[in-house]
Amino acid sequence: MFVLVNLKAYAADPVEIATVAHDVADESGVRIAVAPQTAHLERVAETGVETWAQHVSPVEHGSHTGSALAEAVADAGVVGTLINHSEKRLKLADVDGAVNAAERAGLETVVCANNPDQVGAAAALGPDAVAVEPPELIGGDVSVSQADPDIVEDAVAAAEAVDDSVDVLCGAGVSTGEDLDAAGDLGAEGVLLASGVAKADDPRAALTSLVEPLS
Amino acid sequence: MFVLVNLKAYAADPVEIATVAHDVADESGVRIAVAPQTAHLERVAETGVETWAQHVSPVEHGSHTGSALAEAVADAGVVGTLINHSEKRLKLADVDGAVNAAERAGLETVVCANNPDQVGAAAALGPDAVAVEPPELIGGDVSVSQADPDIVEDAVAAAEAVDDSVDVLCGAGVSTGEDLDAAGDLGAEGVLLASGVAKADDPRAALTSLVEPLS
Amino acid sequence: MFVLVNLKAYAADPVEIATVAHDVADESGVRIAVAPQTAHLERVAETGVETWAQHVSPVEHGSHTGSALAEAVADAGVVGTLINHSEKRLKLADVDGAVNAAERAGLETVVCANNPDQVGAAAALGPDAVAVEPPELIGGDVSVSQADPDIVEDAVAAAEAVDDSVDVLCGAGVSTGEDLDAAGDLGAEGVLLASGVAKADDPRAALTSLVEPLS
Amino acid sequence: MFVLVNLKAYAADPVEIATVAHDVADESGVRIAVAPQTAHLERVAETGVETWAQHVSPVEHGSHTGSALAEAVADAGVVGTLINHSEKRLKLADVDGAVNAAERAGLETVVCANNPDQVGAAAALGPDAVAVEPPELIGGDVSVSQADPDIVEDAVAAAEAVDDSVDVLCGAGVSTGEDLDAAGDLGAEGVLLASGVAKADDPRAALTSLVEPLS
C-alpha cells in the first residue's frame, strides 16, 4: 500500500511532517510520501522523504506566468504529482495535458476523481494511478472505505475496464489502520490522506498507528 | 450520418440558417441539426429544424445565476446538446455533471474532445456520442478527415475500447461532401461543422452540396 | 427604486413570474425587471415585462461556442444584464470585456461585487450600476440592509469616490417592503432579489408587498 | 525605478539569472527583483536577490490543494508577488482575495491589468502597485512605452484618480535602457520584463544595458 499525505495549505510545519513520514516509512517499510505546498517542495525533499507535488500545470516551457511547470517541480526533488484534486479541478483537456507534462518530466501521476465514471475517464488518459475521493467525505471523520465501500470497488472495476495497468487509490476520511486495511481489501493500492496526519496532535503517532496493520 | 451545424457566436441570421437546414434535411433525408446561441434557441426551434444547444451547465434547479440549465434549454424545444466544445472546455467533473444534467432533461449528448485519449475519457462518462476535433484544424480550410484521418480512426477505436455504444463524430474544417464521405469511411457517424455553412455566401448551396453524397 | 428579480435556475415558471412582475410594475408605478435563464429570455420578454439577462460573455461575434453573446441576448428583447454575479464570477479582464460587450449591444449593466473594495473596482470599469451582495447573506432570511447596513453605505461611498455617475444597488436576503425602504435610506437606487419572489408561495403577494412602501 | 524580471516558465536557469540580477542590482544601485517558478523560489532567494512570486492564491490556511498560499511563498524568502498577470488572470473577487492574502503574509503586491480602466479597478483593491501590460505587446519586440505611450500615461492617471498612493509599473516588450527611460518619463515607477532578460544570449549584458540610464 502507498500512503500519500497531502499537506494542502494547512498550517502544519511541512518539514516536521516530512521528517516524521520519512522515519515512519523507514521503520515500517511502508511507502509513504508527502505532498506540501509548491513553495515548500525543496525543503521537504531535503528531509529525504518521498516528495510529491499537489498539482502541475498542463504547460511546457514558455510564457506561462503563475504555472506549476512539471520540470520546475521535478527540479525541487519531486517524484510524483497529484492531478485534478477535488480542490484543484482541471478541465478535461488540461488533465490530459498535465498527465503528459508530468510524464515528460519523469513524474509519477495520480489523477483524482469523484466517482467511478470519472475514474474510468481519468484512467483513459494514461496516468500511473487514479484516486477516488467522494467530495462529500473529504475532511470528514468517516473513511470512504467504511462509508461507501461500493464506490471503491466500483472505481477499481471502472479503471480495470479501461486500462488494467492503472492502479486505484482511495481517499477521504482515511485516518486509521482499519481504514487502510479496508481500502486494501476493496482493491485499492494506496490511500490519500490529509487532515488525519497533518492536523493530528501527534503526527508521528497518527502515522505510526495508520501503517501498523501493514508493518 | 448526422450533420450538426454549430452557429457559435457568428453574425449569421440563425432563423435563416435554421430554415435552410430544415429544408435541406427534408429534401435530402439526411439528419441535420442546428445549434444556435442559447438566447436564439426558441426562435430556431420554431422553424421546425432539429435544434441543439451549444452547452449546458452541470447544475440542477437552484441558485445558479448565469447557468444554462438543461431543463430550461429543453423547454425551448431543444433535443440535444454539445458539451465541452473546445471553445467551452469544462472541468472533468463538470463534463460528467453536464452529461448527467442533459440526460436528466431528456437531451441527447455529444461530448467534444481534442484527441483519441480524451475521446476515451469522454466515452467513459456515458454520453450518446463523442466528437473529436483537433483544435489546430478548427475554423480552417482543411477537413480533419483529409488532414488527419488517423485521428478519426484512433478516436473511433478509443471510444469503442471504452464503450462500444458511444458513437463518434468528427469535426474541424468540414465543408464539402467529400469531407463527409471521408468521415463516414473512417468510422464516424456524423460531423460537426460551423463556418463552412454559417459563413457561406449561400448557406443553402453549401449545405445541399455537403449532403449530396448522402442523398 | 429599481427592483430586479433574478430567477437564477429556480424551478419557478418564468412566464408566470414575469406576468406578475409586469402587472405589479404597472399597478405600482415601480420599475421592476425579471432576469430568467437565457433560454427563457424570449418568452419572458414577450410578456411585456422589462427583461434582463443574468450574464453576458466578454466576446464579440466569432468562434465562441457556448457563450452568451450580448447581441443575441439583446435580440431576445433584453434591455439590461447582470455581470459578475457571485454565482457567475468573472475574471477582472472579463468583467471589463462583458461591460463593453453589453454597452456595444445597447444593454444596461449592473456589475455585482462582494464588498465595498470590489464595488470601487467594478465602478472603475464604467457600468451603469454596481450591486453589493455579501455572499454570506445571499439566499438567507435576513436582508443586507438590516444585517449589515454599513456595507451598503460603504459601497455607496466607494462607488461615488471612483465615479459618481455609477448607481449602487444592494442584494442578499431582500424580501420585504421594509428591506426596500431601508436600502433606499442607505443610498441604494435599487435592489436585487431572487428567492423572496421566485420561491414565494404567492409571488404576486410577495412582490406587491415588497413595493408597497414605494407605491 | 523598480525592475521586476519575470521568469515565467522559461527554460532559463533561475539561479543563474538571479545571481546576475543580484550582481547588477549591487553594482548599479537599481532595485531589481526576480520572479521564478514557485518551486524555484527558495533557491532563488538563497542567491540574495530580491525574490518575488508570480502568483499567490486568494486563500488562507486550510483545505486548498494545489494553491499558492501566501504564507508558504513568504516562507521561501519572497518579499512581493505579482497578482492577475495576463497569463494568470483571476476573477475580480479573487484579485481582491489575493491582495488581502499577500498583505496578510507581509508581501508587497503588484496587480497586473490590460488597460487603464482595469488599472483603475485594480487600484481600488488597495495593492501597492498596478502594472499595465497591453496583451498584444507582451513577448514582442516593441516596448509599451514606445508603441503605446498613451496607455502608460492613461494608466498613471487612472490609478491616481482612484488612489494616489498606488504606484504604476508598465510592461510588455521592455528590453532596453531607452524603454526604461521612456517608461519613467511617462510616470511609471518601474517595469516588468521577461524575455528581454530571461531569453537573452547574455542575461548579464542585457540587464546591465537595461539599467545603464539609471546608474
Side-chain angles (χ1 to χ4, degrees):
Chain A
M1 293 289 277
F2 175 39
V3 174
L4 178 50
V5 181
N6 177 3
L7 300 187
K8 300 189 173 185
Y10 292 143
D13 179 340
V15 171
E16 182 195 334
I17 304 275
T19 304
V20 163
H22 189 221
D23 291 351
V24 176
D26 268 0
E27 293 156 13
S28 65
V30 176
R31 182 182 173 197
I32 306 177
V34 171
Q37 282 278 309
T38 308
H40 288 153
L41 286 171
E42 199 152 7
R43 63 180 68 185
V44 163
E46 283 165 3
T47 67
V49 78
E50 181 176 332
T51 305
W52 278 55
Q54 295 177 10
H55 166 70
V56 296
S57 300
V59 301
E60 302 184 358
H61 281 297
S63 294
H64 305 293
T65 300
S67 61
L69 178 71
E71 282 80 359
V73 160
D75 279 351
V78 164
V79 303
T81 186
L82 293 174
I83 291 171
N84 195 47
H85 189 275
S86 68
E87 294 156 13
K88 188 70 175 181
R89 286 289 183 227
L90 300 183
K91 294 177 184 178
L92 171 56
D94 289 340
V95 178
D96 186 27
V99 168
N100 292 340
E103 288 178 353
R104 191 188 62 218
L107 302 178
E108 200 174 325
T109 51
V110 173
V111 176
C112 301
N114 294 349
N115 59 37
D117 279 355
Q118 292 173 30
V119 163
L125 300 172
D128 296 299
V130 294
V132 61
E133 291 199 297
E136 66 277 14
L137 299 178
I138 292 180
D141 292 332
V142 185
S143 161
V144 57
S145 49
Q146 312 277 352
D148 197 355
D150 287 353
I151 208 175
V152 181
E153 289 189 312
D154 291 349
V156 171
E160 193 173 15
V162 169
D163 181 347
D164 63 11
S165 72
V166 175
D167 286 340
V168 175
L169 313 184
C170 67
V174 175
S175 63
T176 70
E178 287 71 37
D179 298 336
L180 204 63
D181 251 0
D185 291 345
L186 295 165
E189 306 277 344
V191 294
L192 303 189
L193 74 164
S195 55
V197 169
K199 293 183 149 182
D201 290 334
D202 183 343
R204 183 177 300 265
L207 204 46
T208 302
S209 157
L210 180 83
V211 301
E212 203 275 331
L214 303 179
S215 308
Chain B
M1 295 288 278
F2 174 40
V3 174
L4 177 50
V5 181
N6 177 3
L7 300 187
K8 301 189 174 185
Y10 292 143
D13 179 341
V15 171
E16 182 196 334
I17 304 276
T19 305
V20 164
H22 189 221
D23 290 352
V24 176
D26 269 0
E27 293 156 11
S28 64
V30 177
R31 182 182 174 195
I32 305 176
V34 172
Q37 283 277 309
T38 308
H40 289 152
L41 286 171
E42 198 152 7
R43 63 180 68 185
V44 163
E46 284 165 3
T47 66
V49 79
E50 180 175 331
T51 305
W52 279 54
Q54 295 177 12
H55 166 72
V56 297
S57 299
V59 300
E60 302 185 357
H61 282 297
S63 294
H64 306 292
T65 299
S67 61
L69 178 72
E71 281 80 359
V73 160
D75 278 353
V78 164
V79 303
T81 186
L82 294 175
I83 291 171
N84 195 46
H85 188 275
S86 68
E87 294 156 11
K88 188 72 175 180
R89 287 287 184 229
L90 301 183
K91 294 177 184 178
L92 171 56
D94 289 341
V95 178
D96 186 28
V99 168
N100 292 339
E103 289 179 352
R104 189 188 65 217
L107 303 178
E108 200 174 324
T109 51
V110 172
V111 176
C112 301
N114 294 349
N115 59 36
D117 279 355
Q118 292 173 30
V119 163
L125 301 172
D128 295 300
V130 293
V132 62
E133 291 200 297
E136 65 278 15
L137 299 178
I138 292 180
D141 292 331
V142 185
S143 161
V144 59
S145 49
Q146 312 277 351
D148 197 355
D150 288 352
I151 209 176
V152 181
E153 290 188 311
D154 291 348
V156 171
E160 193 172 16
V162 169
D163 180 348
D164 63 11
S165 73
V166 175
D167 285 340
V168 175
L169 313 184
C170 67
V174 175
S175 63
T176 70
E178 288 71 38
D179 298 336
L180 204 63
D181 251 0
D185 290 345
L186 296 166
E189 306 277 344
V191 294
L192 302 189
L193 74 164
S195 55
V197 169
K199 292 183 150 183
D201 290 334
D202 182 343
R204 182 177 302 265
L207 205 46
T208 302
S209 158
L210 180 83
V211 302
E212 203 276 329
L214 304 178
S215 307
Chain C
M1 293 290 278
F2 175 40
V3 174
L4 178 50
V5 181
N6 177 3
L7 300 187
K8 300 189 174 185
Y10 292 143
D13 178 341
V15 170
E16 181 196 335
I17 304 274
T19 304
V20 163
H22 189 221
D23 290 351
V24 176
D26 268 0
E27 293 156 12
S28 65
V30 177
R31 181 183 174 196
I32 305 176
V34 171
Q37 282 278 308
T38 307
H40 289 151
L41 286 171
E42 198 152 8
R43 63 180 67 184
V44 163
E46 283 165 3
T47 67
V49 78
E50 180 176 330
T51 306
W52 278 54
Q54 295 178 11
H55 166 71
V56 296
S57 299
V59 300
E60 303 184 357
H61 282 297
S63 293
H64 306 292
T65 299
S67 62
L69 178 72
E71 282 80 359
V73 159
D75 278 351
V78 164
V79 302
T81 186
L82 293 174
I83 291 171
N84 195 46
H85 188 276
S86 69
E87 293 156 11
K88 188 73 175 180
R89 288 290 184 225
L90 301 183
K91 294 177 184 178
L92 171 55
D94 289 340
V95 178
D96 186 27
V99 168
N100 292 339
E103 289 180 350
R104 191 187 64 218
L107 302 179
E108 201 173 324
T109 50
V110 173
V111 176
C112 302
N114 294 350
N115 59 36
D117 278 355
Q118 291 173 30
V119 163
L125 300 173
D128 296 299
V130 293
V132 62
E133 292 199 296
E136 65 277 15
L137 299 177
I138 292 179
D141 291 333
V142 185
S143 161
V144 58
S145 49
Q146 313 276 352
D148 196 355
D150 288 353
I151 208 175
V152 181
E153 290 189 312
D154 291 349
V156 171
E160 194 174 14
V162 169
D163 181 347
D164 63 11
S165 72
V166 175
D167 286 340
V168 174
L169 313 184
C170 67
V174 175
S175 63
T176 70
E178 289 71 37
D179 298 335
L180 203 63
D181 250 1
D185 291 345
L186 295 166
E189 306 277 343
V191 294
L192 302 189
L193 73 165
S195 56
V197 169
K199 293 184 151 183
D201 290 334
D202 183 344
R204 183 176 300 266
L207 204 46
T208 302
S209 157
L210 180 84
V211 302
E212 203 275 329
L214 303 177
S215 308
Chain D
M1 294 289 277
F2 175 39
V3 174
L4 178 50
V5 180
N6 177 3
L7 299 187
K8 300 189 174 185
Y10 292 143
D13 178 341
V15 171
E16 182 196 334
I17 304 274
T19 305
V20 164
H22 189 221
D23 290 351
V24 176
D26 268 1
E27 292 156 12
S28 65
V30 176
R31 182 182 174 198
I32 305 176
V34 172
Q37 282 278 310
T38 307
H40 288 152
L41 286 171
E42 198 152 8
R43 62 179 71 185
V44 163
E46 283 165 3
T47 66
V49 77
E50 180 175 331
T51 305
W52 278 54
Q54 295 178 10
H55 166 71
V56 296
S57 299
V59 300
E60 303 184 357
H61 281 298
S63 293
H64 306 293
T65 299
S67 61
L69 178 72
E71 282 80 359
V73 160
D75 279 352
V78 164
V79 303
T81 186
L82 293 174
I83 291 171
N84 195 46
H85 188 275
S86 68
E87 294 156 12
K88 189 71 176 180
R89 289 289 184 225
L90 301 183
K91 294 177 183 179
L92 171 55
D94 289 340
V95 178
D96 186 27
V99 168
N100 293 339
E103 289 179 351
R104 190 188 65 218
L107 302 179
E108 202 174 322
T109 51
V110 173
V111 177
C112 301
N114 293 350
N115 59 36
D117 278 356
Q118 292 173 31
V119 163
L125 301 173
D128 295 300
V130 293
V132 61
E133 291 199 297
E136 65 279 14
L137 299 178
I138 292 179
D141 291 333
V142 185
S143 160
V144 58
S145 49
Q146 313 277 353
D148 197 355
D150 288 353
I151 208 176
V152 181
E153 291 190 311
D154 291 349
V156 171
E160 194 173 16
V162 169
D163 181 347
D164 62 11
S165 72
V166 175
D167 286 341
V168 175
L169 313 184
C170 67
V174 176
S175 63
T176 70
E178 289 71 39
D179 298 336
L180 204 64
D181 252 0
D185 291 345
L186 295 166
E189 307 276 344
V191 294
L192 302 190
L193 74 164
S195 54
V197 169
K199 292 184 152 183
D201 290 332
D202 183 343
R204 183 177 301 264
L207 204 46
T208 302
S209 157
L210 180 84
V211 302
E212 202 276 330
L214 303 178
S215 306

